Amino acid sequence: FFFKQKTAYEISTRDWSSDVCSSDLGSLIGIFAGHRIRSEIRALMTDVLGAVTLISAAGAIKALWNSSLDSLPTGAPILIVLASLLIGGLIGSLLSFEARLEGVAEKLKAKFDRGNSSRFVEGFVYSSLIFVIGPLAILGSISDGMGTGVDQLLLKSALDFFASIAFAATFGWGVSLSSLPVGIYQFSWTFVGVLLGSVLSETQVALMTATGGILLLGIALKLLEIKKIAIGNLLPALALAPCLVALVQALF
């Protein structure tokens, strides 16, 4: 058990440092080059990120058609995703997840961005949610914790690097500090992967990924200024999806 704990720490530290380095480096480039970029160009960059996030959402939602879902009753997958989002949204709203995340951002802003010169809170919240919600954050961390490869995390690091440049140019230092919640989140999933091995079945992973895709869709709509959705309050849905899959499989 001690050996597994040590391994989890080493792997998680490596995952966190690689992802943080890529996003922070991108953030610094965006922050210090941002003043040279015209406001309309920064707005366009944000729109592009929103559009690309839509593509990522579509890729994740595609998991609803995974062949492993044939083991569930007809229509059950979409109902599980719906129930996860509704119940998760209720839990998140009661616990004020979105408000708490924004509260953390406000405290960090007061310490690191007193001049109120940037959209600090928006940058912290948006980038935290995008870097956390992406299925690569979950699947990549679990995969690495189980010793089956780091390909997904390396891909995520590359995507985070380019995304953080665009975000930091628009939102400022809040993007860089989003590495704190992202690092904690990925550390937790890697630790789970090391201690418990294959924690989730393919069916559970597929529906968790599809649920994350819906959340990504909500973020894309916010970035494109189409609809403001309290995505932070929906985060519990990611944990509920695999639990509901297990419940349905037990009942049917």
Side-chain angles (χ1 to χ4, degrees):
F1 180 77
F2 172 77
F3 174 75
K4 287 185 176 181
Q5 283 186 316
K6 182 179 179 181
T7 304
Y9 173 79
E10 292 174 346
I11 293 176
S12 299
T13 302
R14 182 186 68 216
D15 296 348
W16 183 82
S17 61
S18 64
D19 210 40
V20 168
C21 285
S22 64
S23 61
D24 280 356
L25 178 59
S27 299
L28 290 174
I29 293 174
I31 289 168
F32 290 109
H35 67 282
R36 300 181 180 178
I37 303 175
R38 297 198 307 271
S39 59
E40 60 268 24
I41 296 178
R42 291 199 297 268
L44 178 61
M45 293 171 71
T46 303
D47 290 341
V48 169
L49 280 174
V52 172
T53 304
L54 279 175
I55 297 174
S56 299
I61 294 172
K62 187 176 67 174
L64 277 172
W65 290 271
N66 190 295
S67 60
S68 66
L69 300 184
D70 294 340
S71 61
L72 296 174
T74 303
I78 189 65
L79 290 177
I80 289 174
V81 171
L82 176 61
S84 298
L85 291 168
L86 291 175
I87 299 173
L90 178 61
I91 294 173
S93 297
L94 291 174
L95 296 178
S96 303
F97 276 20
E98 179 94 346
R100 291 174 187 272
L101 183 58
E102 291 181 352
V104 171
E106 290 288 359
K107 290 180 180 178
L108 290 172
K109 177 179 173 63
K111 185 172 183 179
F112 294 100
D113 193 42
R114 297 177 182 176
N116 297 316
S117 59
S118 66
R119 298 162 67 185
F120 186 98
V121 174
E122 290 177 272
F124 179 83
V125 173
Y126 282 0
S127 53
S128 293
L129 290 173
I130 284 182
F131 297 155
V132 164
I133 289 174
L136 288 176
I138 299 172
L139 304 182
S141 297
I142 290 179
S143 176
D144 192 27
M146 292 167 56
T148 56
V150 296
D151 295 351
Q152 292 173 328
L153 281 179
L154 291 177
L155 174 60
K156 180 181 183 296
S157 295
L159 292 173
D160 288 356
F161 171 74
F162 290 106
S164 62
I165 292 177
F167 268 107
T170 303
F171 298 116
W173 285 104
V175 177
S176 178
L177 291 175
S178 69
S179 60
L180 297 175
V182 173
I184 294 172
Y185 180 78
Q186 291 189 194
F187 180 95
S188 301
W189 279 109
T190 303
F191 196 73
V192 167
V194 171
L195 292 182
L196 302 181
S198 185
V199 181
L200 306 175
S201 67
E202 186 178 354
T203 302
Q204 289 173 308
V205 170
L207 286 183
M208 177 188 286
T209 301
T211 303
I214 301 297
L215 271 63
L216 281 172
L217 177 61
I219 290 181
L221 295 178
K222 290 182 71 172
L223 287 171
L224 294 171
E225 298 184 354
I226 296 174
K227 174 70 176 178
K228 290 186 178 181
I229 303 173
I231 301 298
N233 289 339
L234 293 174
L235 286 175
L238 292 174
L240 284 173
C243 296
L244 291 179
V245 170
L247 178 61
V248 170
Q249 289 177 329
L251 293 175
F252 297 96

